[in-house]
Amino acid sequence: MYNKGTIIPGLIIFVLIVMSPVLYNGLKAGSVPKPEPPPGGEKQCVLPVSEMRDKHMQLLNEWRDEVLRDDERVTVVADGKQYRKGLQLACMQCHTNKEKFCDSCHEYASVKPYCWDCHLTPAQQKAALKKETH
Amino acid sequence: MKYAFSFLVVIVLIVVAGLGSQIQGMQYVFGVALPYLAILVFAGGFIYRVVQWAKSPVPFPIQTTCGQAASLDFIKQNKLECPNTTSEVVARMILEIVTFRSLFRNTKSEIHEGPQLTYESSKWLWVFSLMFHYSFLLIIIRHMRLFLDPAPFWMAWIEFGDGIFQVGAPNAYITDATILMAIVYLFGRRIINRHVKYISLINDFFPLVLIFGIACTGILMRYFLRTDVDILAIKRLAVGLVTFSPVIGVKIGAIFYIHLFLVSTLLIYFPFSKLMHMGGVFLSPTRNLKNNSRAVRHINPWNPDIKPHSYAGYEDEFREFMVDAGIPVEKELPVEKG
Ligand code: HEM
């Protein structure tokens, strides 16, 4: 073999890059997060759970378009109660702890929905209300 | 025909994975066994190919010179186009690898009335192949979020930049659009441009169609066919794969297995195909040699070791026969003592 001095370091770099996920995780697979069930004791989501898990972002996108573009400000029924269609108005009424619910999954999957740039999380909302009543 | 056949092969692969992964128990074949096999073939084959290349001697310095070589002091050397030292070569290689400078020189030739042959600069190939390679790279880096737990902090920056338009949810990625556009161009070029079509082989079309299939299934999975695409379960599988403890806990949709099967096919095909230019670009003698052939003698490494043979030595060896044959010699045979 010619040019051993560059070929061998080059191949070592290649192998390190291919192996990098193995080295990074250090053989610890970790566990999938368990999002906290709604603290209010509700039993059912707006759709079957498996569908919510896979498609809640699509549902939110549809709802956003329907509410804001088509002005379909309607109510949805979930777990026997009526909610106004929306992110803060529906989802966060049951899933009142964003940090322990939405974020637990999102951190694991490395997604950072930008929704909270404008929308208030239940915790922020509570804090804001407190300020106003003072 | 050649491109139609490539499509046929990819469609067959899709059907195999789509139906196969639905058979009870086969999830581990498509989700675990084949990906492991694929990465082994990929890494092993890649190393094998590079070692084979490294074993081939380079008999001549054959760098392409695109500028003035190092010469007398008052003649200005073009350091990048005609490198003379190792650091200049490194600079040239880095720019070649990250900006595809040699593709930037691409020209197109046309015959006009006359007949007159014209050449003109054509940058489209350069633009679209840059687009293709960088989209591909970013997509692969972004995919690491599925393999790394916890995902590194900078992953969010890439995801933010790639999704800066904030269209829809799941957030649309720019690279998803650009990789498709680039593949369509690179494929179209091989069909529409007569010169290129003539020299295109099935092994030019197949990787394009395969990568097109991978990109399409990925995009379908993210934006359209989300049924049974539980990213958490997929991440558990992917992290499991790289920590040697894979589990498939829940039902994952066929679209995921199709995506993964096409990727496995790509990895297995990689070392045997022109895709090896990923490693080969580092080993191109026309780029990575110094243009110092006037200053340093390049010796062909396979030259046999030929010892000099002077005329005096030659005569010493054959003097008897020369004298016998009546050929004049410079030094006579020693007089025999009678
Ligand atoms: C050659 C390598 C690969 C290419 C070019 C590729 C391409 C793509 C593309 C273009 C997308 C669309 C969304 C995005 O850009 O993130 C995607 C999504 C996806 N790919 Fe791949 N992929 C590759 C390898 C893999 C592997 C090895 C896995 C196995 C874990 C995988 C799993 C996924 C999943 C789960 C999605 C959906 C992501 C989401 O919903 O956000 N891909 N792929």
Side-chain angles (χ1 to χ4, degrees):
Chain A
M1 202 162 83
Y2 300 96
N3 300 314
K4 283 205 183 76
T6 38
I7 296 284
I8 290 174
L11 285 178
I12 290 175
I13 291 172
F14 169 74
V15 171
L16 283 179
I17 291 175
V18 172
M19 297 281 290
S20 57
V22 179
L23 304 172
Y24 181 94
N25 290 320
L27 297 187
K28 284 194 299 290
S31 58
V32 178
K34 286 255 175 308
E36 182 196 65
E42 291 88 350
K43 286 281 157 284
Q44 265 171 357
C45 199
V46 289
L47 290 176
V49 183
S50 67
E51 229 166 292
M52 284 312 286
R53 254 180 111 86
D54 305 339
K55 298 188 181 168
H56 60 275
M57 39 325 229
Q58 285 179 323
L59 179 77
L60 281 170
N61 197 33
E62 274 164 32
W63 279 15
R64 177 170 57 175
D65 288 355
E66 284 164 9
V67 171
L68 297 183
R69 297 195 183 156
D70 309 332
D71 201 23
E72 283 180 25
R73 293 174 192 271
V74 294
T75 51
V76 288
V77 179
D79 206 25
K81 259 181 84 183
Q82 287 199 334
Y83 297 89
R84 275 148 69 209
K85 206 181 229 186
L87 173 60
Q88 285 165 257
L89 301 172
C91 315
M92 307 323 284
Q93 297 300 318
C94 292
H95 302 294
T96 45
N97 194 336
K98 169 185 170 277
E99 289 70 26
K100 285 204 183 128
F101 184 74
C102 313
D103 292 356
S104 68
C105 287
H106 292 168
E107 261 164 40
Y108 182 69
S110 173
V111 274
K112 290 205 173 42
Y114 54 86
C115 318
W116 311 106
D117 291 358
C118 306
H119 290 269
L120 292 177
T121 67
Q124 286 170 327
Q125 225 165 346
K126 227 189 256 162
L129 279 177
K130 225 188 229 159
K131 229 186 234 164
E132 268 171 32
T133 50
H134 264 293
Chain B
M1 269 328 286
K2 288 176 285 195
Y3 45 90
F5 188 69
S6 307
F7 275 105
L8 189 71
V9 173
V10 173
I11 290 169
V12 169
L13 291 173
I14 291 175
V15 171
V16 166
L19 296 179
S21 65
Q22 298 309 297
I23 302 169
Q24 193 57 40
M26 290 295 274
Q27 287 81 7
Y28 277 90
V29 173
F30 286 97
V32 178
L34 275 171
Y36 273 138
L37 176 74
I39 198 77
L40 283 179
V41 172
F42 170 71
F46 193 102
I47 293 170
Y48 175 79
R49 286 294 299 269
V50 169
V51 169
Q52 285 307 106
W53 281 330
K55 280 185 177 163
S56 326
V58 179
F60 306 108
I62 53 167
Q63 73 303 98
T64 33
T65 56
C66 315
Q68 173 62 50
S71 177
L72 299 169
D73 286 344
F74 57 88
I75 301 178
K76 194 165 175 292
Q77 183 207 352
N78 191 333
K79 292 203 156 102
L80 215 50
E81 306 290 17
C82 212
N84 190 44
T85 61
T86 306
S87 50
E88 287 163 15
V89 166
V90 169
R92 181 193 216 193
M93 286 297 289
I94 290 175
L95 281 174
E96 175 68 30
I97 287 160
V98 302
T99 66
F100 307 175
R101 289 178 82 237
S102 59
L103 214 51
F104 192 71
R105 288 185 233 274
N106 183 42
T107 55
K108 76 167 183 223
S109 54
E110 273 173 357
I111 293 182
H112 294 276
E113 263 177 75
Q116 216 171 22
L117 183 60
T118 62
Y119 295 93
E120 67 179 301
S121 157
S122 171
K123 303 282 184 244
W124 291 112
L125 179 60
W126 174 77
V127 168
F128 280 95
S129 66
L130 268 183
M131 204 159 110
F132 173 78
H133 285 87
Y134 277 101
S135 304
F136 204 128
L137 178 68
L138 277 174
I139 289 172
I140 289 178
I141 293 176
R142 274 200 290 95
H143 269 65
M144 286 303 128
R145 82 183 164 115
L146 299 171
F147 292 90
L148 307 180
D149 181 38
F153 62 94
W154 44 262
M155 194 63 83
W157 305 343
I158 297 182
E159 280 159 2
F160 172 78
D162 204 347
I164 193 81
F165 289 135
Q166 301 193 332
V167 178
N171 201 356
Y173 285 132
I174 300 167
T175 47
D176 288 0
T178 49
I179 196 169
L180 285 188
M181 274 158 61
I183 295 177
V184 167
Y185 172 86
L186 295 174
F187 189 84
R189 184 182 85 99
R190 292 201 177 270
I191 294 190
I192 291 161
N193 186 325
R194 277 166 44 229
H195 315 51
V196 186
K197 185 177 182 181
Y198 184 71
I199 58 166
S200 292
L201 304 172
I202 183 147
N203 38 8
D204 295 311
F205 288 114
F206 178 65
L208 279 174
V209 178
L210 187 61
I211 294 168
F212 182 70
I214 293 172
C216 284
T217 49
I219 288 167
L220 282 175
M221 173 162 40
R222 180 173 168 85
Y223 305 105
F224 304 104
L225 309 175
R226 290 203 68 96
T227 311
D228 287 334
V229 176
D230 181 348
I231 299 295
L232 266 57
I234 291 173
K235 175 151 185 179
R236 179 63 189 81
L237 169 62
V239 172
L241 282 173
V242 294
T243 52
F244 307 107
S245 53
V247 264
I248 303 178
V250 299
K251 181 174 184 289
I252 305 177
I255 185 82
F256 170 72
Y257 291 105
I258 295 174
H259 187 64
L260 194 57
F261 186 58
L262 293 182
V263 174
S264 304
T265 311
L266 183 75
L267 288 178
I268 292 175
Y269 176 70
F270 198 100
F272 309 102
S273 69
K274 69 171 200 170
L275 299 175
M276 269 307 291
H277 70 272
M278 178 175 136
V281 65
F282 294 93
L283 279 84
S284 336
T286 57
R287 305 273 119 198
N288 68 14
L289 286 171
K290 286 176 242 183
N291 183 32
N292 57 1
S293 54
R294 286 195 258 174
V296 180
R297 183 167 170 225
H298 182 100
I299 293 172
N300 178 2
W302 81 51
N303 275 351
D305 190 18
I306 300 172
K307 297 271 179 298
H309 203 192
S310 65
Y311 179 72
Y314 172 87
E315 213 185 84
D316 282 348
E317 200 174 335
F318 298 111
R319 186 167 294 109
E320 265 179 58
F321 306 101
M322 292 169 79
V323 172
D324 269 358
I327 300 171
V329 288
E330 284 181 354
K331 211 168 120 193
E332 293 299 334
L333 282 170
V335 185
E336 271 171 67
K337 292 182 199 119

